[in-house]
Amino acid sequence: MTRWLSEPEQRAWRGLLQMTTRLETQLNRELQETSGLSLADYDVLVPLSEAPQGRLRVFELASDLGWERSRLSHHLTRMQRRGLITREDCDADRRGAFVVLTGAGRSAIDQAAPAHVETVRRLVFDGLSDEQVRSLQAFTESVQRRLDTAEETRATA
């Protein structure tokens, strides 16, 4: 028997989907205007900028981003052409590779981050109370845990 969403659940669900789509669109637009980076570029550059020596294995980056490897591979090719990242072979695993942040990539994320953070603050956090921020954090962590469980179940099936 299907457990249909109640009217409030349906409004909340559709609102969540619409909000995330609109938020990503606006973040992408403003990032492109202020830095020339896409939101996808920024999403790749952040974990690289936080990684030791600015390098991650391709599979680690794919996992961090939640992207399919083919999507990541195509995007990395575009970023490599623009000089934002390079790829290096992994000596320990001939099938693996590292994605490495270049000086231009480091400069790009360093220049883009302040305006991007201000946009996130303006669009999201400036309109929330401390209690709402805590609730948002609890909500996202709860959903992430259920997603982790679903992925683990799928992997072992």
Side-chain angles (χ1 to χ4, degrees):
M1 180 167 170
T2 302
R3 296 182 325 141
W4 296 106
L5 299 178
S6 68
E7 188 63 33
E9 289 170 333
Q10 184 135 169
R11 282 195 311 271
W13 174 243
R14 288 181 180 175
L16 176 64
L17 293 177
Q18 185 178 38
M19 179 202 66
T20 56
T21 298
R22 292 181 66 201
L23 185 58
E24 286 182 3
T25 298
Q26 187 66 29
L27 290 171
N28 190 56
R29 182 180 301 123
E30 292 194 28
L31 254 176
Q32 294 229 345
E33 289 171 359
T34 60
S35 69
L37 294 176
S38 69
L39 187 56
D41 293 337
Y42 192 88
D43 288 344
V44 169
L45 293 174
V46 167
L48 287 173
S49 71
E50 295 170 344
Q53 291 89 41
R55 58 191 277 145
L56 288 170
R57 295 283 300 267
V58 173
F59 77 87
E60 292 173 310
L61 189 55
S63 177
D64 284 352
L65 297 172
W67 291 7
E68 296 293 328
R69 290 193 61 162
S70 62
R71 175 185 178 195
L72 179 60
S73 179
H74 290 297
H75 196 78
L76 292 176
T77 297
R78 290 189 294 273
M79 291 180 75
Q80 190 169 5
R81 275 190 237 131
R82 293 168 40 218
L84 299 171
I85 58 104
T86 60
R87 295 187 225 201
E88 295 177 358
D89 292 332
C90 177
D91 292 334
D93 177 5
R94 290 286 178 206
R95 295 175 301 153
F98 287 99
V99 180
V100 183
L101 185 64
T102 65
R106 172 76 62 189
S107 179
I109 190 73
D110 288 348
Q111 290 175 7
H116 180 66
V117 169
E118 183 54 40
T119 300
V120 170
R121 180 165 299 289
R122 177 176 46 83
L123 294 175
V124 179
F125 293 102
D126 285 351
L128 300 178
S129 68
D130 290 344
E131 182 180 336
Q132 288 172 315
V133 172
R134 286 189 297 275
S135 293
L136 177 60
Q137 180 182 357
F139 164 73
T140 58
E141 289 172 354
S142 176
V143 172
Q144 294 279 13
R145 281 191 301 274
R146 285 192 300 284
L147 288 167
D148 291 343
T149 300
E151 288 173 7
E152 290 167 7
T153 302
R154 185 172 170 240
T156 59

